[in-house]
Amino acid sequence: MRFGKWIAIAAVAGMTFACNSERHDAAVNQAVMAKLSEDPQLARNSVNVETQHGHVTLTGQVMTEDQRQIAAQRAQEVSGVKQVTNHIQVAVSSPPPSATAPDNAAPPSSGSNETPESGADNKPNGGAPGSEQE
């Protein structure tokens, strides 16, 4: 009977610890999200927070590398955070069109009107008929 009591006590203690850990993670998660939303550089960005056993994982997207680093720093500042994994991606936008090049400009020429596919430069001896070497 004594052995059964110890198993029951261990099970109750384990469940209590697991519930406290989940509540603790939820509180840490909420505190990290609040900290990120307070920062004016991060407020308009899409950052997601997930916490497990004090390990915070950040995902989502920001506009600059600085914002990505700031998010990780702010998360690390929260009490209860043991580790931060930063999987936030920086949004990549195409550069604005050049003001000096017109939209219909042809690509720069290589100086030759023939392409290698035309056959003239692909054969030995300049591609003359009957001059192929075996």
Side-chain angles (χ1 to χ4, degrees):
M1 280 287 204
R2 285 185 149 177
F3 184 69
K5 273 186 178 181
W6 286 110
I7 290 176
I9 291 172
V12 169
M15 289 186 328
T16 302
F17 176 75
C19 290
N20 285 338
S21 176
E22 287 175 16
R23 273 190 242 138
H24 175 74
D25 285 345
V28 168
N29 205 70
Q30 189 172 24
V32 170
M33 289 189 306
K35 185 83 164 179
L36 296 179
S37 67
E38 290 172 1
D39 193 303
Q41 293 187 54
L42 301 173
R44 293 184 182 176
N45 292 292
S46 173
V47 177
N48 303 310
V49 180
E50 185 178 319
T51 306
Q52 284 190 316
H53 308 290
H55 179 179
V56 174
T57 302
L58 303 174
T59 58
Q61 194 171 45
V62 294
M63 298 305 292
T64 67
E65 180 63 30
D66 285 344
Q67 290 173 336
R68 181 180 183 277
Q69 295 301 320
I70 289 169
Q73 290 170 354
R74 296 296 177 263
Q76 192 65 54
E77 293 169 0
V78 172
S79 177
V81 173
K82 296 176 183 175
Q83 181 180 4
V84 174
T85 300
N86 191 349
H87 290 301
I88 297 173
Q89 296 183 3
V90 177
V92 178
S93 61
S94 58
S98 172
T100 58
D103 290 339
N104 60 355
S109 174
S110 64
S112 171
N113 290 336
E114 291 188 12
T115 61
E117 291 82 25
S118 67
D121 293 329
N122 288 345
K123 297 181 183 174
N125 298 326
S131 63
E132 292 184 31
Q133 298 177 356
E134 292 185 25

